[in-house]
Amino acid sequence: MINPFIGAILFVILAPLLGGLVAGIDRKVTAHMQGRVGPPVLQPFYDILKLFEKESVVVRPEINFYIFCYLVFLVITGAIFYAGEDILLVIFALTLAHVFLVIAAFASSSPYAHVGAERELLMMMAVEPMLILAAAGMYMTTGSFFVSDIIDHQSMGGGLLVLSIPLLFIGIVYILTIKLRKSPFDISTSHHAHQELVKGLTTEFAGPTLGMYEIAHLYETVFLLGFVWLFFAGAPLLGIVVVAVVYFLEILIDNTNTRAKWQFALRSAWLVALVTGIINLGALVVL
Amino acid sequence: MANITKSPWIIHYDGSSCNGCDIEVLACLTPLYDIERFGIINTGNPKHADIFLITGGINYQNVDIVKNTYEQMVDPKVVVAVGICATSGGVFRECYNIMGGVNEVIPVDVYVPGCAVRPEAIIDGVVQALGILEEKRAQLEKEQGGAKK
Amino acid sequence: MELLLFLILFPALMGFVFLVFPNNKARDVMVALAALVIIAATVIFFLQNYGAGTVIYEIEPGAVSTAMMAIEVVLALGVLYLAAKYRQWIVGALVVVGTGVALYAETLFTGPEHLNNLFVDEFTLIMAMIIGVIGSLICIFATGYMRDYHGHHKEIADKRKGFFFLLFVFLSAMFGVVFSNNMFWLFFFWEITTLCSFLLIGYAWDEEAQKNAFWALLLNLLGGLGFGATFLYLAFIDPSGDLVMLDSLIAAGPAIAMIPAALIGFAGLAKAAQMPFSSWLLGAMIAPTPVSALLHSSTMVKAGVYVIVRFAPIYDASFVGFLIALVGGFTFLLASGIAISQSNAKRVLAWSTIANLGLIVTCAGIGNAAAVWAAILLIVFHAIAKSLLFLCTGTVEHRIGSRDIEDMGGLISILPKVTIMMIIGIAGMFLAPFGMLISKWAALRAFLDTPYGIVAVILIAFGSAVTLFFWTKWMGKLLQVAWKPEPKREGEVSAAELYSLTTLSAGVIAICLGFPLLSSIVVEPFLEGIYGIGASLGDQNIAIMLMMMVVVFILPLSLIFFRRNPKMIPHYVGGRTETGDMHFAGSMGMQRKVLLSNYYFEGIFGEAKLGKAGNILCTLFIVAIGIVLATGVIA
Ligand code: SF4
């Protein structure tokens, strides 16, 4: 296992680059699915750099602070994850980061951002059980919550994690759509040229503030993909292929679905978590 | 550092138009013209936008909204008046409720004539606006640099 | 020994002083002084005893027991009188049965008198700290608050003498509960807390207050029957009276102690307001806020979980324990859900208290070392953060004239200090790296190591997601500042209130930073004493946690940078011009106010719906416990 600090530092440095590339490819693939040429692959970088060229304008100065905290804690989330630490801690840090995001939106006190904030909270509520149950499944299979142990367990002949918790993997893929803000669950804010409630919770973030938000999203994407990879950590290359396939699937879903209501998003995410959780964890106990 | 020209985000506002030009603006988004090739995104949110695309003239109902939307945009920003209505009021010019073109209320940087405008013309207008956008950015940078010193 | 007796007797003594002392500034100062004395005594007591393990104090029971019996009879008669006057026949019957059974049971024990009536161990010490320090701070807060209270509520008779009497007697009783080894004594103090609670809920003594007070009394007396039944059972299996002592009963192991543990667990569930008993705690919210803070969040309800956690080693890996854990788990999930649908801040706090007590009960029901570690830390974190929140809500209510969360929009600009403290309290309730979350985390790990644990894990996974929702939306509301904020009104908060709030906030932060210390010097030795193994989170995790804490405290510095000449424009209202103080130009030239309000999901998380489901489910679990025990299938 590589030194935990190296993992964390590599994440901090490389994640925005990797995340930007993924986002760029995402836009390219999306465009091709729609019969368009699409923007250059490096477009996400141009966008973010542009945002920092804009003037800094805020509704309240505190919003910059909240968004900065969001960014910092997302970086910490990913860093803890790639350092191979406790996965529950990772999930909690992720929650903390998103709480800051939601508060930033609340603090904008604009009608659009407000509704966006409420919906983002709803989506957090929808996602959290699945994440915790997945972590529980990992613990029950490998006997440890530590990401490094979970990887070691698989590479030392413990078999791929996905083989013992396949349903939880499906559940994670399901909520990934919410986390990546893809249709049909892009209801708190939206990507690319989609619009919902103007721009949902990001409505009042302008210029550099939005830039910080976008960077945070890149970090989050890379963290989430790492989470998916963890299910196949025993076969790293296969894992990467699976991650690519899963991401492609997300793009496909994004392009073939219309936006759902929040009721459906919440209910379905909880139902998925409940069903996959009970069946898969139950099976682990019984077997 | 001229990323702003590679990533111009647009907000489109429909003033007192006949909807002809609006359709053409939307046509730009279709696969045929695909303005996202240039990194252009229709944001629908003034706080995120760099280019204010207005179709149709200004009347007494929408004048405040045009002004407000313009004020909500973050510098550097440019205004593109699309269609002859937006540039001067066009066929509606003599109507009792029309104040005239967009330049009656906010400074316009690029005028794109046509009734209705062709998508190629719109794209051309936007591309011209990019040059002005870049100038404004350089100006802003100079000002802010000056303010810091 | 002297200090221990001092802690039990001194508050009651001061209570009697306040009963006759006139309502004036001097009394308020006296209250503050007495509270400070109690704090000092508790801290000294803690420092003297923390390394000592379990210490039994021998007390000649004769005269004391007789006195207790006498007081019990007098109090019972008093309640009986009230019950008759207000035609609360069930309450009357419960008093007669409860007291009668206890008195009768006492005559059944024929063995020699036992001397080991009082004791102290690490868990007791923690409880004592909570009662002594937090309780006293709430008393100080109450001096300022009650002055305001009567200023705002002219129609309510000023019974502050009795109020402070009850508060201090209550503190005595709580000390009694946690120090008693003799369960008859424990029961005596237990019933006194019930009575204090009854009288304090009924403080305003209007129709609603009476109704709620009697309802609380009824459910708590019902729970108290668990003790009576325990006494009868113990007298039946061992008349020598050995097992009436808490330590020997727990040492006797599940084979003997399972039935008493379940019966006392029943009493604990009622006191801790678990479903189906939760309604009394909601009703109790009409009491003045310090009462809610003291009795209904930080101490009295903790007596309920205290006895349950005491019996955790008995529940460990048993089916009865699992059923108790289910009661707690479902209460946690459903009460958290109901909290979403509430906009009254005190009701949100009440439901979240019930939920957190549920979590503690779940841990105790699971009952292994790691779960008990989580339970004890939960008790600590919850006591301090929740009392802070109650007190903040009380202060805010007197300033803005509402306890509705919807009216607290932008509070940060009106009452910045109080709001920041409120946010500290809220963060302490659910956010990493603060308090409660640490315990939730530990609880998750503990549950996974037990056979049926995944049920509890699933309940917690959903429950904590729900918790996240209602706390964050509250926090967001507080921070929702209009473009042009309203002016500050902080100066109106009384010194006593600010003092208590600041100390409690400092306490929340201190306990979040210092919990590893607390864990290593008190909690782990306690667990080692019982289970032979300690429990903790692992040093690495604690290190990361503390690092995150540090980041949280450093980050606000960035505000200095962000606040430096920012360019501000008003928010976007679809292009309409707006004024910055939340008004925009509507149609027909009208100025309209932007009204932002939170989601409540009455349809999904409504109180009636979830409450009913919870009551039915939890009643079933409790009945199941009875059936399991009755058929003798003690797993
Ligand atoms: S320019 Fe012509 S097509 Fe465009 S809005 Fe005006 S009238 Fe319609």
Side-chain angles (χ1 to χ4, degrees):
Chain A
M1 190 60 219
I2 42 168
N3 186 321
F5 282 106
I6 296 180
I9 289 169
L10 280 181
F11 171 77
V12 174
I13 299 170
L14 293 183
L17 303 178
L18 190 61
L21 276 180
V22 170
I25 294 169
D26 175 353
R27 284 176 71 169
K28 203 80 190 166
V29 173
T30 300
H32 279 288
M33 280 183 185
Q34 296 168 351
R36 296 187 286 120
V37 178
V41 175
L42 295 182
Q43 187 62 38
F45 298 107
Y46 302 147
D47 288 349
I48 290 172
L49 289 173
K50 173 204 73 174
L51 287 169
F52 284 97
E53 284 172 9
K54 303 264 302 183
E55 201 181 14
S56 178
V57 171
V58 284
V59 185
R60 299 280 316 158
E62 294 86 44
I63 290 177
N64 268 326
F65 160 63
Y66 301 136
I67 290 293
F68 184 59
C69 290
Y70 168 57
L71 173 60
V72 168
F73 280 104
L74 255 183
V75 173
I76 290 181
T77 305
I80 301 175
F81 180 81
Y82 282 95
E85 297 292 333
D86 195 313
I87 197 145
L88 283 176
L89 187 57
V90 172
I91 295 172
F92 297 144
L94 182 71
T95 308
L96 175 65
H98 279 268
V99 165
F100 274 111
L101 173 65
V102 170
I103 284 183
F106 268 116
S108 350
S109 51
S110 119
Y112 303 107
H114 181 85
V115 179
E118 300 276 351
R119 289 182 171 191
E120 175 69 13
L121 254 183
L122 261 173
M123 291 304 99
M124 284 164 68
M125 179 161 85
V127 161
E128 181 137 319
M130 192 65 241
L131 289 174
I132 291 181
L133 292 181
M138 291 179 183
Y139 177 80
M140 290 170 77
T141 315
T142 65
S144 170
F145 276 116
F146 281 82
V147 174
S148 53
D149 293 344
I150 295 172
I151 296 173
D152 287 347
H153 173 88
Q154 298 182 53
S155 48
M156 307 229 174
L160 293 186
L161 196 56
V162 71
L163 298 179
S164 52
I165 46 174
L167 288 180
L168 292 177
F169 175 71
I170 293 171
I172 286 291
V173 172
Y174 189 84
I175 61 147
L176 200 62
T177 320
I178 298 178
K179 278 271 136 205
L180 291 174
R181 307 193 186 295
K182 297 272 183 210
S183 247
F185 298 137
D186 51 346
I187 63 178
S188 63
T189 181
S190 48
H191 248 170
H192 311 173
H194 298 241
Q195 290 166 25
E196 170 71 358
L197 301 165
V198 181
K199 273 289 180 185
L201 83 164
T202 64
T203 301
E204 300 296 334
F205 309 157
T209 318
L210 186 65
M212 285 196 279
Y213 164 83
E214 292 288 347
I215 294 176
H217 189 68
L218 300 185
Y219 274 108
E220 192 180 7
T221 308
V222 175
F223 155 67
L224 289 170
L225 295 182
F227 200 95
V228 173
W229 179 81
L230 198 54
F231 283 85
F232 293 85
L237 289 179
L238 175 69
I240 291 174
V241 173
V242 170
V243 167
V245 171
V246 165
Y247 200 89
F248 180 79
L249 215 71
E250 293 295 341
I251 300 175
L252 191 67
I253 293 169
D254 188 29
N255 279 304
T256 48
N257 279 278
T258 50
R259 187 171 288 128
K261 287 186 181 175
W262 64 257
Q263 287 90 337
F264 173 75
L266 178 67
R267 290 208 171 110
S268 67
W270 273 17
L271 195 69
V272 168
L274 197 63
V275 171
T276 60
I278 288 178
I279 297 180
N280 211 327
L281 295 182
L284 285 182
V285 172
V286 174
L287 299 179
Chain B
M1 282 263 288
N3 294 293
I4 199 149
T5 59
K6 291 183 192 147
S7 160
W9 292 356
I10 283 176
I11 176 163
H12 166 212
Y13 181 74
D14 171 14
S16 205
S17 84
C18 78
N19 275 169
C21 288
D22 301 309
I23 304 288
E24 300 303 329
V25 168
L26 294 181
C28 297
L29 302 173
T30 57
L32 188 61
Y33 297 102
D34 187 26
I35 48 167
E36 208 194 347
R37 277 180 296 157
F38 309 109
I40 298 174
I41 283 178
N42 186 6
T43 61
N45 176 4
K47 294 228 160 128
H48 292 184
D50 310 295
I51 299 180
F52 192 8
L53 213 66
I54 308 187
T55 53
I58 304 297
N59 62 28
Y60 293 99
Q61 288 287 331
N62 66 26
V63 53
D64 288 338
I65 291 171
V66 170
K67 271 192 206 155
N68 181 267
T69 309
Y70 180 72
E71 280 159 14
Q72 293 264 324
M73 289 174 65
V74 180
D75 281 329
K77 57 189 172 190
V78 291
V79 178
V80 180
V82 174
I84 208 68
C85 286
T87 53
S88 68
V91 286
F92 304 114
R93 189 178 173 80
E94 304 300 324
C95 286
Y96 68 98
N97 61 338
I98 292 288
M99 298 169 70
V102 178
N103 57 6
E104 297 286 321
V105 281
I106 54 173
V108 175
D109 297 281
V110 179
Y111 298 89
V112 184
C115 176
V117 191
R118 293 198 60 79
E120 291 89 340
I122 297 177
I123 294 172
D124 196 37
V126 169
V127 170
Q128 283 201 27
L130 293 183
I132 301 171
L133 200 56
E134 168 58 19
E135 269 169 38
K136 288 194 175 178
R137 184 196 65 77
Q139 177 95 22
L140 186 76
E141 196 178 46
K142 223 192 291 167
E143 273 169 26
Q144 278 181 344
K148 269 175 201 148
K149 276 166 210 157
Chain C
M1 173 75 173
E2 288 76 22
L3 208 48
L4 187 150
L5 290 180
F6 176 80
L7 284 177
I8 300 183
L9 296 176
F10 175 74
L13 196 72
M14 289 314 287
F16 282 102
V17 172
F18 298 134
L19 195 55
V20 292
F21 216 78
N23 272 336
N24 56 20
K25 270 258 154 61
R27 196 267 320 275
D28 290 354
V29 174
M30 291 260 296
V31 169
L33 285 179
L36 289 176
V37 169
I38 298 173
I39 294 179
T42 320
V43 172
I44 295 173
F45 185 66
F46 181 85
L47 293 177
Q48 280 177 352
N49 285 287
Y50 73 81
T54 310
V55 183
I56 302 279
Y57 291 93
E58 307 216 322
I59 294 225
E60 200 66 55
V64 182
S65 288
T66 320
M68 282 184 182
M69 238 189 265
I71 298 176
E72 233 166 275
V73 171
V74 171
L75 291 178
L77 289 177
V79 176
L80 218 49
Y81 165 73
L82 279 179
K85 186 170 166 196
Y86 291 93
R87 305 184 184 285
Q88 296 284 345
W89 305 120
I90 307 179
V91 172
L94 285 171
V95 172
V96 173
V97 174
T99 318
V101 166
L103 292 179
Y104 168 69
E106 213 151 344
T107 62
L108 293 178
F109 292 99
T110 51
E113 288 193 326
H114 291 78
L115 295 177
N116 50 344
N117 288 306
L118 294 176
F119 80 122
V120 171
D121 68 1
E122 291 87 351
F123 186 25
T124 315
L125 274 179
I126 291 178
M127 292 301 292
M129 280 296 271
I130 292 174
I131 299 159
V133 178
I134 301 178
S136 305
L137 283 173
I138 295 172
C139 291
I140 297 178
F141 176 91
T143 60
Y145 181 89
M146 291 309 286
R147 218 179 306 137
D148 270 1
Y149 181 83
H150 285 291
H152 282 80
H153 300 274
K154 294 267 187 275
E155 74 287 359
I156 295 173
D158 189 340
K159 293 177 290 188
R160 268 186 284 167
K161 290 179 187 172
F163 181 82
F164 284 104
F165 164 72
L166 287 172
L167 280 195
F168 278 84
V169 166
F170 171 78
L171 289 184
S172 275
M174 276 307 295
F175 279 124
V177 166
V178 297
F179 288 143
S180 294
N181 191 29
N182 185 331
M183 284 201 291
F184 277 108
W185 293 25
L186 175 61
F187 179 60
F188 167 74
F189 290 121
W190 180 276
E191 295 293 76
I192 289 189
T193 62
T194 302
L195 282 184
C196 286
S197 157
F198 161 66
L199 292 171
L200 286 168
I201 296 171
Y203 184 73
W205 210 244
D206 50 19
E207 203 172 318
E208 198 191 356
Q210 286 170 18
K211 197 179 106 221
N212 294 351
F214 274 112
W215 182 239
L217 185 61
L218 192 153
L219 287 181
N220 276 303
L221 287 175
L222 183 67
L225 292 185
F227 274 96
T230 308
F231 295 144
L232 289 181
Y233 176 78
L234 291 179
F236 173 69
I237 59 167
D238 180 17
S240 75
D242 268 345
L243 293 178
V244 171
M245 297 301 153
L246 211 49
D247 56 349
S248 26
L249 181 61
I250 293 171
I256 293 171
M258 186 53 87
I259 290 181
L263 289 171
I264 289 181
F266 177 75
L269 290 178
K271 193 130 216 159
Q274 297 300 290
M275 286 173 175
F277 305 107
S278 52
S279 52
W280 76 259
L281 197 130
L282 268 298
M285 288 301 126
I286 60 158
T289 301
V291 175
S292 313
L294 181 59
L295 278 75
H296 307 130
S297 77
S298 54
T299 52
M300 187 179 89
V301 289
K302 293 284 161 40
V305 291
Y306 164 79
V307 290
I308 297 181
V309 174
R310 272 269 167 236
F311 283 100
I314 308 290
Y315 301 138
D316 188 6
S318 74
F319 192 60
V320 170
F322 177 63
L323 287 170
I324 289 184
L326 281 185
V327 173
F330 274 98
T331 304
F332 172 61
L333 175 62
L334 296 173
S336 302
I338 295 173
I340 289 186
S341 69
Q342 305 292 315
S343 72
N344 178 331
K346 269 185 94 173
R347 287 183 83 84
V348 173
L349 292 178
W351 278 114
S352 115
T353 300
I354 295 170
N356 284 308
L357 293 171
L359 192 53
I360 299 170
V361 170
T362 317
C363 292
I366 296 289
N368 58 19
V372 173
W373 186 88
I376 294 178
L377 282 180
L378 269 171
I379 292 178
V380 176
F381 289 132
H382 180 257
I384 189 161
K386 196 47 94 35
S387 52
L388 173 63
L389 278 172
F390 266 111
L391 297 188
C392 283
T393 307
T395 310
V396 169
E397 184 185 355
H398 280 172
R399 299 282 80 77
I400 64 171
S402 166
R403 53 167 81 155
D404 199 298
I405 292 174
E406 290 303 316
D407 294 327
M408 294 187 190
L411 201 65
I412 185 90
S413 66
I414 304 169
L415 301 167
K417 278 191 214 143
V418 178
T419 311
I420 285 178
M421 294 194 253
M422 209 170 194
I423 288 171
I424 291 176
I426 293 179
M429 293 305 298
F430 80 106
L431 266 189
F434 297 98
M436 297 285 287
L437 191 111
I438 297 166
S439 325
K440 239 177 240 174
W441 181 12
L444 275 175
R445 307 166 66 117
F447 296 167
L448 279 172
D449 290 329
T450 55
Y452 307 108
I454 61 149
V455 182
V457 168
I458 292 174
L459 289 174
I460 290 207
F462 282 91
S464 67
V466 172
T467 324
L468 170 79
F469 188 87
F470 69 84
W471 286 125
T472 313
K473 75 177 180 183
W474 185 348
M475 203 144 82
K477 197 79 201 172
L478 295 175
L479 294 170
Q480 195 162 62
V481 185
W483 189 55
K484 283 182 192 153
E486 287 182 48
K488 280 189 200 181
R489 301 222 310 263
E490 194 112 73
E492 302 163 20
V493 182
S494 80
E497 291 175 67
L498 264 186
Y499 170 76
S500 302
L501 293 180
T502 329
T503 316
L504 280 174
S505 320
V508 173
I509 294 173
I511 206 80
C512 290
L513 286 171
F515 84 93
L517 189 68
L518 181 78
S519 161
S520 65
I521 66 170
V522 204
V523 185
E524 284 169 47
F526 172 69
L527 295 174
E528 265 158 35
I530 292 181
Y531 295 94
I533 44 163
S536 181
L537 273 181
D539 294 341
Q540 215 168 340
N541 282 330
I542 289 174
I544 295 178
M545 225 42 174
L546 292 181
M547 186 195 82
M548 277 168 69
M549 263 320 243
V550 172
V551 175
V552 170
F553 288 119
I554 289 178
L555 275 175
L557 290 181
S558 67
L559 264 177
I560 301 173
F561 170 74
F562 291 126
R563 281 232 174 98
R564 216 171 41 196
N565 51 42
K567 186 174 172 198
M568 283 165 55
I569 49 174
H571 40 76
Y572 178 63
V573 197
R576 308 302 308 206
T577 46
E578 24 71 77
T579 56
D581 56 352
M582 308 296 277
H583 285 80
F584 68 99
S587 58
M588 317 291 281
M590 298 262 280
Q591 280 279 313
R592 302 212 176 261
K593 193 161 168 41
V594 181
L595 277 180
L596 304 173
S597 88
N598 278 326
Y599 284 13
Y600 288 97
F601 308 130
E602 195 53 50
I604 306 179
F605 297 109
E607 189 173 336
K609 190 169 145 191
L610 292 191
K612 199 169 155 199
N615 287 344
I616 293 174
L617 262 178
C618 293
T619 311
L620 284 179
F621 294 136
I622 291 175
V623 170
I625 294 176
I627 294 173
V628 168
L629 289 178
T631 49
V633 198
I634 301 168

